[in-house]
Amino acid sequence: RTNVAISLVLRSEFGRARVHLEDVRVEADRAGVGLTSAAANAYLALLDVIAGDLPEAGRRSDMLAKLGVRRGWTQQPQLLAAYAASALVYLETDELDTASERVDFGLDLVRHGSDLPATVVLQIAAVGVALARRELHTARAAASRLRALSASCAGLPLLDDWVAVSLARVELLCDDVDSAEKILTGLPASTSSSSSEFSAELVTIARAEVLLAQHEPRAAFDLLGTPARYAAHRTLVVEATLLSAIAADRLRLDSIALERMGQAIDAAAPIGALRPFVAHSEEITGLLARYRHLNAEPSELNRALLLRLTAADGAATIRPATPSDPLTERELAVLRYLPTMYKSAEIAADLFVSVNTVKTHQQSIYRKLG
């Protein structure tokens, strides 16, 4: 039953897989079969990562690591998926040294047993750490190992798409946009089947990254759609919404960009998902500064996230916006300041326009909204 459940995970049938794994865990605990219970818990931790429940994935994988030490299971391959899940959790929370440590622990287990799919996920995490550190040569080497490993278990929907996205991101780091696009060609960008939503959403996000690298923000924005599309996978909500904010910012859709930035932060704060923000830190500095100015009293969770993200914040630059009806984008940008304590001169300074321009926008807002 454990093997059946693991096969369902690899086929992206996550709901059925979770039911089987929970049953196995309960029955194995009742029967005193500890390693089987650990194997089920390890893949449950991986499902938690896929769902974007980073706190639960971290709790479960840390519990397994402590259990392994206590029972002398540190070399048992049944724990390999737990180390892969743990590495991915620390990668998403931008704790890269700990993520790298978990990768090393997991790779040590590979020499003592076999769980090839979990090994592939572990190598995906290794690529992710190299990308987060922007270490070009390390990322290339990790990608080469991932390519070789994944060739031995091709045909598994979850791994095929996840591997392709990781390899495409390495090409983007190398500024080889054409190669990244080629890797993603033929992969599912959308699906009507809930069993493969994660893979399709992951590929969609990677394609949007390629489009942004090709200076096509409109295509990226349209491809990403709304945050609700990614609701089943919380880390993907963060990443997709942040990319949507970046695309909107490039399109000079100031109000939408600020709205999406807020949605990304709201989604990231409860789970501590920092990696997407750090990965795109150079592109979102100005947007973050504007968001912070307009949200003087964020929630405690958001405040902690903002403190981390804005440590090296530079001055915001705001560009003229494309008009829309009934309010223009610039009028919408000014509108967000009106409930604050900012005076017209302070709004003008923040938006890099004259006081007269701000007052003109205010008059237009009042006129249009009655």
Side-chain angles (χ1 to χ4, degrees):
R1 287 192 67 184
T2 306
N3 289 335
V4 167
I6 291 172
S7 74
L8 290 171
V9 173
L10 300 173
R11 287 165 54 184
S12 297
E13 298 184 38
F14 303 135
R16 291 180 61 200
R18 187 176 287 276
V19 170
H20 278 282
L21 289 169
E22 290 286 5
D23 287 347
V24 166
R25 181 185 61 79
V26 171
E27 293 177 17
D29 284 342
R30 185 184 298 125
V33 189
L35 273 174
T36 302
S37 175
N41 261 315
Y43 270 89
L44 282 168
L46 198 56
L47 285 180
D48 291 335
V49 171
I50 290 169
D53 191 348
L54 301 182
E56 178 61 19
R59 183 202 65 77
R60 201 188 296 267
S61 56
D62 285 348
M63 177 270 292
L64 287 171
K66 292 174 183 176
L67 181 67
V69 171
R70 191 165 65 248
R71 297 198 177 181
W73 293 345
T74 54
Q75 303 300 323
Q76 296 294 337
Q78 285 90 339
L79 296 181
L80 187 57
Y83 281 114
S86 183
L88 290 169
V89 169
Y90 285 112
L91 170 62
E92 291 298 326
T93 57
D94 197 43
E95 298 171 76
L96 301 183
D97 289 343
T98 307
S100 184
E101 183 182 85
R102 293 297 189 272
V103 169
D104 291 341
F105 285 161
L107 291 177
D108 188 55
L109 286 184
V110 172
R111 294 194 286 271
H112 297 272
S114 61
D115 182 346
L116 185 56
T119 306
V120 171
V121 177
L122 195 70
Q123 194 59 42
I124 287 172
V127 171
V129 171
L131 289 170
R133 288 174 169 165
R134 305 193 67 79
E135 295 175 346
L136 182 59
H137 297 297
T138 305
R140 280 176 168 167
S144 179
R145 290 191 294 271
L146 176 59
R147 193 176 287 108
L149 271 173
S150 61
S152 301
C153 54
L156 300 174
L158 173 65
L159 297 185
D160 286 350
D161 297 337
W162 209 346
V163 166
V165 168
S166 296
L167 297 178
R169 284 173 168 165
V170 172
E171 297 300 334
L172 286 176
L173 181 65
C174 300
D175 291 325
D176 191 343
V177 181
D178 290 342
S179 293
E181 184 179 30
K182 185 176 180 180
I183 289 171
L184 298 174
T185 299
L187 297 181
S190 61
T191 177
S192 58
S193 170
S194 61
S195 65
S196 57
E197 279 180 0
F198 175 77
S199 295
E201 291 164 5
L202 198 63
V203 172
T204 295
I205 289 168
R207 283 207 171 109
E209 290 178 312
V210 169
L211 288 169
L212 287 172
Q214 293 172 329
H215 308 291
E216 296 184 37
R218 170 55 67 183
F221 184 82
D222 292 344
L223 177 65
L224 288 164
T226 64
R229 171 181 177 178
Y230 309 88
H233 308 104
R234 295 164 70 184
T235 49
L236 298 190
V237 171
V238 177
E239 193 158 18
T241 309
L242 182 65
L243 288 173
S244 184
I246 291 170
D249 193 42
R250 291 192 191 178
L251 292 167
R252 303 179 179 179
L253 303 174
D254 293 352
S255 181
I256 294 175
L258 285 167
E259 179 185 26
R260 292 290 164 87
M261 175 59 74
Q263 290 170 332
I265 291 174
D266 287 342
I271 59 175
L274 280 170
R275 180 193 57 79
F277 296 93
V278 176
H280 299 285
S281 57
E282 293 180 1
E283 295 179 274
I284 64 172
T285 298
L287 196 52
L288 267 175
R290 280 176 276 161
Y291 177 82
R292 185 175 55 181
H293 288 166
L294 296 172
N295 292 269
E297 293 296 331
S299 68
E300 287 296 327
L301 286 169
N302 285 358
R303 187 177 292 111
L305 187 63
L306 282 169
L307 283 173
R308 180 81 176 272
L309 294 176
T310 58
D313 225 8
T317 55
I318 304 181
R319 300 159 299 189
T322 304
S324 61
D325 187 37
L327 295 185
T328 68
E329 284 296 326
R330 183 42 54 93
E331 288 165 354
L332 286 169
V334 171
L335 177 65
R336 288 178 174 270
Y337 285 87
L338 300 189
T340 72
M341 298 299 292
Y342 276 64
K343 298 176 181 177
S344 295
E346 294 170 321
I347 298 173
D350 211 37
L351 294 176
F352 295 114
V353 296
S354 70
V355 174
N356 286 338
T357 298
V358 170
K359 290 181 177 179
T360 298
H361 287 318
Q362 287 175 328
Q363 291 169 358
S364 180
I365 290 167
Y366 297 144
R367 186 183 71 255
K368 288 183 178 180
L369 299 184

